[in-house]
Amino acid sequence: MLLESKENLTIDKEEFKPLIVAFCCNWCSYAGADLAGTSRLNYPANIRIIKVPCSCRVNPNFVLRAFQNGADGVVIAGCHPGDCHYSTGNYFARRRLTLFTSLLNYIGIESERLKVDWISAAEANKFATVMNDVLEKVHKLGPNRKLRDVRWKR
Amino acid sequence: MARIGVFVCWCGSNIAATVDVKEVAKEAAKMSGVVLSTDYQYMCSEIGQNLLRNAIKKEKLDRVVVAACSPRMHEVTFRKAAELAGLNPYLVEIANIREHCSWVHKNKDEATEKAIALVRAAVAKVTLNQELIPGEIGIEKRALVIGGGIAGIQTALDIADAGYMVDVIEKTPSIGGKMAQIDKTFPTLDCSACILTPKMVDASMHPNINLHTYSEVEKVSGYVGNFEVTINKKARSVIIEKCSGCGVCIEKCPSRKTKSEFEEGLVNRKAIYTPFPQAVPNVPVIDREACIKFKTGKCGICKKVCTAEAIDFEQEDTKIIQKYGAIVVSTGYDLIDLAKFGEYAYGEDPDVITSLEFERITNAAGPTAGKLLRPSNNEKPEKVVFIQCVGSRDKTCRGKTYCSKICCMYTAKHAMLIKEKYPDIEVHVFYIDVRTPGKNFDEFQRRAVEEYGVNYIKGMVGKVFPDGDKLRVYGVDALSGDTIEIDADLVVLAAATKAKEDAEELGRKLSISTDTNNFFTEAHPKLRPVETHSAGIYLAGACQGPKDIPETVAQASAAASKAIILLSKSKLINNPCVAKVDETICCGCLECTNICPYEAIASTIIEYRDHGKMIKKLVSEVNEALCQGCGGCTVTCRPGAIDLKGFSNKQILAEVDALCF
């Protein structure tokens, strides 16, 4: 078993294709991602977006689940502070996820794997930049192993 | 077992060029629950929609995934199509394989793989979707307008003309606002009162309009279509119904030490007063802080002289509670406090005045009956200096970063008014830039320079120095670099406009947001300029940002039409994706009530039978009409009893699992 996993490790390093799950709020960041599409900006295909009504809808539990299931990085994007469609949702998200980032650090997960950012519906460029940045960082960190469920096959 | 249909759209070549749509449809067919998987060139076209509808009927589909463009584009289209085929619209999910896939990726293999993953996530989610039925709420056919300036008056008249009842709340004793103080209006130089006062009278005579002057909003609860507002009607001490407006009480009142707010403090008013002769309603009010009767108990002359017996010293504040369907906020603006601008000697020398004070001085109904006289000695000035951008476009903490928008035009107007009456007076204007975008605005300003010979100097004033009888104005001409010294007799400061002091407080009551400058924020700067983020609350006039009169009136009519659209509906349909409490799990900690921005969660006590005993339990309860569906409460909930319909924990986790496949 041990040998096998070591072999896997070397293979991973050669062909490491990080998987990033992005939670985007419906009003700003999801629209920003749409605009990135309309503007034909390019970002890597390993970024997968899930629509949520507001960044405050993202339960840290969802992030852990993504890491357990093999995601190498997670992005949570919402409206800029002060611009939340629900007036205060992103403030709650910010507070919650600041704590959660500390928790990730504490349990030994590189906190760079989780990116919380504010992307407005007009910031298509920012959307692409943030996604590329996260991907680059996760690339340097290598595959996420620590949180991955041992039963997971990928 | 679910019967899911997957429809993959080509979007012409928009998707099909980068994503192998046949492959996506083939892979989707293998997914759990999928009984039909197909592709078509244009799913949104009539043929595409028919394909979807027929498939729902023929294959007895109970859930649908459309892999196409962004749900922001056509989610509504496909949901409507499904509804026509008898399927609950909330059993349709969209996989965004255009904006989020084919348009942003170039490698066909990678894009196809991602498209399959996105479809898998949508299939996983839709499997857990449940039928949702939007609720209906009734609408109170009555509107509230907060603020009785020109914006409020115009809004109220428009809504009232459409046949709905309107209440106008005005803080001061009369409607009219800032426009009532102004002498002439740019760019036509027609008299402000001549165009405003008829509107004020119209508003007071209109059978559908109720004026609540000398009143304030105390509390607002409820939601779109069903607001409940508590209005505090301050004690006027004069009975409106009895008063004939003869004005004898004002004449006889011995208290004359209070500065007149309407005259910008240039003269004093009595303790019983109407702000100005054309006030609507023309009923005086007793300023209890200035009134000798209220201060010492001795006097009461007004009561003795009033033949109509309208004076009532015992009158108390009254509360009115009224339901409204729509609210329009039109609270206007103020000028900034110039105490921090010591270099201009405002407040130190009486001959340094603000532009609004100048309006009163030049106004025929003002304290000098329209004669331009220096406040210090009541003599005609020989040289007048106008200083623009006092606090506007000022990045320091004492000013405002924005352009106040109206100052360039009213300064040109003031300069012209002086030159018209007294061609011998020298007029100098210091400016940073002259900004005159507007119909006939630039022509107007150029007339001031070319026809009236007003001296425009590009540059700022460093210091205004009271020197004996004169005001020494030190400035720089930025174009030549020369320092300029003018011995002026009168200096007029174009002070920056600012939001009302209590805008933030009112915003909190209405749960609408204010920007960094305390102006109310519109829902979208371009496409929803008169709506707020709170449904059913609209904005008109300068409370949303600096505005001149034509713009204010245009926005007021726009806000009115938005309110009329709302009031004319028989029922409102609300978003069914709202929070839901599982009472059996709820522990009654009520954490969720603290986080809810809409106060949509309250507590209730439920009773249930457990082992033959009736047990009472405190649980949270969501008001579905108030809940906007942000989902913040779901994360806060400790036992996990609250979930969001349409975006449930299970649904999102299923998406996560599917994407990480």
Side-chain angles (χ1 to χ4, degrees):
Chain A
M1 269 310 276
L2 245 173
L3 261 176
E4 233 181 71
S5 62
K6 263 192 181 166
E7 254 169 38
N8 275 341
L9 199 107
T10 48
I11 292 165
D12 269 358
K13 265 207 169 148
E14 280 163 18
E15 302 179 358
F16 175 45
K17 269 195 192 168
L19 174 70
I20 314 279
V21 175
F23 294 94
C24 290
C25 89
N26 180 34
W27 306 97
C28 290
S29 309
Y30 194 89
D34 276 1
L35 188 63
T38 324
S39 323
R40 308 295 199 278
L41 299 174
N42 259 294
Y43 57 84
N46 10 14
I47 284 152
R48 313 270 158 91
I49 297 168
I50 294 178
K51 185 172 86 171
V52 284
C54 176
S55 52
C56 71
R57 175 69 188 91
V58 181
N59 196 320
N61 190 14
F62 302 162
V63 180
L64 287 174
R65 176 81 150 236
F67 280 136
Q68 278 182 333
N69 285 5
D72 302 294
V74 173
V75 179
I76 298 166
C79 309
H80 282 267
D83 288 348
C84 180
H85 179 79
Y86 306 102
S87 59
T88 51
N90 52 4
Y91 292 130
F92 287 116
R94 182 167 66 180
R95 237 177 284 166
R96 231 175 242 158
L97 297 167
T98 309
L99 278 175
F100 183 62
T101 310
S102 314
L103 177 76
L104 285 183
N105 264 327
Y106 181 70
I107 58 172
I109 309 297
E110 303 90 340
S111 57
E112 289 93 339
R113 288 190 192 278
L114 173 66
K115 173 85 177 163
V116 182
D117 215 326
W118 317 119
I119 302 169
S120 82
E123 294 176 326
N125 276 314
K126 186 175 178 187
F127 185 87
T129 322
V130 168
M131 295 304 149
N132 282 319
D133 278 1
V134 172
L135 208 74
E136 201 180 312
K137 275 198 184 123
V138 172
H139 233 288
K140 275 185 197 151
L141 291 171
N144 147 45
R145 300 191 169 281
K146 191 153 187 176
L147 261 185
R148 190 178 293 184
D149 192 323
V150 283
R151 292 162 296 181
W152 201 253
K153 40 191 179 298
R154 203 173 75 95
Chain B
M1 194 67 202
R3 293 183 63 81
I4 305 171
V6 178
F7 300 85
V8 187
C9 180
W10 297 29
C11 195
S13 64
N14 281 309
I15 295 171
T18 336
V19 171
D20 185 343
V21 282
K22 297 272 179 209
E23 179 67 18
V24 175
K26 209 175 95 189
E27 283 297 317
K30 296 178 196 162
M31 292 170 197
S32 161
V34 176
V35 292
L36 170 85
S37 179
T38 182
D39 57 278
Y40 183 68
Q41 274 101 336
Y42 292 102
M43 278 307 296
C44 58
S45 68
E46 202 183 333
I47 305 173
Q49 291 189 45
N50 281 338
L51 177 79
L52 181 102
R53 275 154 55 185
N54 293 335
I56 291 172
K57 283 181 194 152
K58 203 174 148 203
E59 299 287 332
K60 299 198 169 53
L61 301 178
D62 61 3
R63 278 163 176 78
V64 168
V65 169
V66 184
C69 53
S70 171
R72 297 169 60 86
M73 192 88 180
H74 278 311
E75 188 175 62
V76 178
T77 316
F78 294 125
R79 283 188 167 170
K80 269 189 190 154
E83 199 173 13
L84 284 174
L87 193 67
N88 182 290
Y90 294 90
L91 296 173
V92 177
E93 283 293 329
I94 309 291
N96 185 348
I97 62 165
R98 192 179 76 174
E99 278 86 344
H100 290 185
C101 187
S102 72
W103 276 354
V104 284
H105 308 314
K106 283 185 180 140
N107 183 315
K108 194 161 182 175
D109 291 340
E110 279 181 9
T112 308
E113 192 196 325
K114 180 172 175 178
I116 294 167
L118 292 175
V119 171
R120 191 182 300 116
V123 169
K125 186 183 180 193
V126 86
T127 312
L128 298 164
N129 275 21
Q130 285 180 338
E131 285 194 3
L132 298 177
I133 294 152
E136 282 182 342
I137 34 181
I139 299 167
E140 185 71 33
K141 306 273 177 191
R142 194 182 185 99
L144 174 69
V145 175
I146 306 172
I150 180 62
I153 293 170
Q154 184 64 45
T155 310
L157 283 172
D158 284 355
I159 300 175
D161 281 345
Y164 300 102
M165 290 301 293
V166 189
D167 289 358
V168 180
I169 301 184
E170 167 58 42
K171 199 165 34 170
T172 67
S174 167
I175 58 168
K178 288 273 187 297
M179 190 175 167
Q181 288 177 282
I182 295 173
D183 177 33
K184 299 256 168 38
T185 56
F186 58 77
T188 45
L189 291 185
D190 44 356
C191 142
S192 182
C194 315
I195 52 179
L196 175 70
T197 43
K199 275 197 184 290
M200 288 163 63
V201 175
D202 282 354
S204 71
M205 305 296 277
H206 204 294
N208 287 349
I209 298 180
N210 268 320
L211 297 180
H212 295 299
T213 49
Y214 212 47
S215 303
E216 282 181 275
V217 173
E218 190 165 290
K219 199 179 146 213
V220 181
S221 61
Y223 45 89
V224 55
N226 296 277
F227 295 104
E228 192 176 278
V229 182
T230 312
I231 301 164
N232 184 28
K233 242 183 139 106
K234 287 180 277 183
R236 202 177 187 107
S237 316
V238 178
I239 300 161
I240 295 187
E241 292 74 23
K242 286 189 181 170
C243 175
S244 64
C246 67
V248 175
C249 52
I250 303 173
E251 210 176 287
K252 301 288 179 195
C253 176
S255 161
R256 52 184 82 223
K257 282 184 188 151
T258 319
K259 290 210 179 298
S260 161
E261 296 87 358
F262 184 80
E263 298 292 355
E264 290 294 313
L266 292 168
V267 288
N268 289 349
R269 62 159 167 82
K270 302 287 182 71
I272 184 164
Y273 70 105
T274 50
F276 53 104
Q278 299 81 19
V280 170
N282 186 20
V283 175
V285 47
I286 296 181
D287 174 357
R288 293 190 173 182
E289 271 163 31
C291 175
I292 298 167
K293 170 82 181 169
F294 280 94
K295 281 200 292 194
T296 65
K298 290 175 201 144
C299 184
I301 292 175
C302 49
K303 190 166 184 161
K304 282 171 209 151
V305 297
C306 182
T307 48
E309 295 182 344
I311 309 285
D312 178 7
F313 294 125
E314 268 82 54
Q315 209 178 53
E316 283 176 9
D317 291 6
T318 45
K319 305 256 188 278
I320 302 168
I321 298 173
Q322 180 69 50
K323 289 196 95 181
Y324 298 99
I327 298 177
V328 180
V329 185
S330 54
T331 47
Y333 70 100
D334 267 328
L335 295 187
I336 59 164
D337 179 16
L338 292 176
K340 286 179 189 159
F341 293 82
E343 70 265 36
Y344 299 128
Y346 179 77
E348 196 182 314
D349 192 293
D351 293 333
V352 181
I353 57 173
T354 65
S355 43
L356 210 49
E357 287 165 30
F358 183 85
E359 289 285 354
R360 293 313 304 156
I361 291 177
T362 189
N363 194 315
T368 60
K371 286 196 193 77
L372 183 60
L373 301 173
R374 303 174 70 190
S376 61
N377 56 8
N378 275 335
E379 280 173 19
K380 194 186 104 181
E382 281 161 20
K383 281 184 193 173
V384 181
V385 169
F386 287 89
I387 305 175
Q388 290 196 200
C389 287
V390 177
S392 300
R393 305 172 71 195
D394 184 343
K395 282 183 191 153
T396 63
C397 59
R398 62 181 193 164
K400 302 286 177 192
T401 50
Y402 51 84
C403 166
S404 291
K405 203 169 184 178
I406 50 175
C407 325
C408 286
M409 284 303 287
Y410 71 58
T411 300
K413 174 189 79 181
H414 289 168
M416 249 190 230
L417 289 176
I418 295 179
K419 282 285 190 184
E420 195 129 275
K421 281 186 203 161
Y422 315 95
D424 57 319
I425 295 183
E426 253 182 57
V427 181
H428 305 275
V429 178
F430 283 91
Y431 69 96
I432 305 179
D433 292 300
V434 173
R435 297 183 164 181
T436 51
K439 197 174 173 181
N440 296 327
F441 281 17
D442 201 55
E443 293 88 329
F444 181 81
Q445 192 269 337
R446 277 212 312 272
R447 243 169 67 210
V449 180
E450 289 161 11
E451 279 178 36
Y452 290 86
V454 177
N455 180 27
Y456 268 74
I457 307 160
K458 187 176 172 74
M460 279 309 283
V461 169
K463 180 106 184 123
V464 175
F465 197 67
D467 181 13
D469 192 27
K470 295 276 182 186
L471 290 160
R472 237 164 253 295
V473 180
Y474 296 99
V476 179
D477 184 336
L479 296 178
S480 66
D482 296 342
T483 49
I484 294 174
E485 194 186 321
I486 300 170
D487 50 337
D489 301 300
L490 189 67
V491 172
V492 185
L493 306 177
T497 58
K498 65 164 188 183
K500 285 273 181 192
E501 279 306 333
D502 53 1
E504 215 182 339
E505 194 193 328
L506 181 65
R508 226 173 287 130
K509 284 177 190 164
L510 293 162
S511 58
I512 58 174
S513 51
T514 47
D515 63 16
T516 45
N517 295 310
N518 276 351
F519 288 114
F520 294 118
T521 323
E522 62 281 10
H524 189 281
K526 291 174 201 74
L527 301 177
R528 294 170 70 197
V530 300
E531 291 150 273
T532 64
H533 280 301
S534 293
I537 302 182
Y538 309 99
L539 302 174
C543 63
Q544 180 250 349
K547 255 176 221 78
D548 59 19
I549 295 166
E551 262 187 286
T552 298
V553 173
Q555 202 191 10
S557 286
S561 79
K562 286 282 172 192
I564 294 164
I565 292 169
L566 173 67
L567 296 178
S568 65
K569 286 181 182 162
S570 58
K571 284 243 156 59
L572 278 179
I573 287 173
N574 62 353
N575 170 20
C577 296
V578 290
K580 186 178 182 292
V581 182
D582 184 341
E583 288 172 349
T584 56
I585 312 177
C586 178
C587 66
C589 69
L590 303 182
E591 264 313 303
C592 48
T593 57
N594 297 331
I595 198 171
C596 182
Y598 303 99
E599 295 180 14
I601 312 179
S603 62
T604 181
I605 289 171
I606 54 160
E607 274 186 61
Y608 62 97
R609 190 177 289 277
D610 186 23
H611 291 83
K613 261 196 256 169
M614 287 306 286
I615 294 175
K616 279 187 180 172
K617 184 180 160 188
L618 181 76
V619 292
S620 318
E621 187 184 40
V622 176
N623 181 337
E624 296 203 346
L626 283 178
C627 177
Q628 302 286 313
C630 69
C633 51
T634 60
V635 188
T636 270
C637 183
R638 288 165 186 175
I642 293 201
D643 213 343
L644 186 66
K645 290 193 230 169
F647 290 93
S648 69
N649 290 327
K650 272 189 179 171
Q651 283 172 304
I652 297 176
L653 286 174
E655 278 183 279
V656 171
D657 291 352
L659 284 183
C660 296
F661 187 66

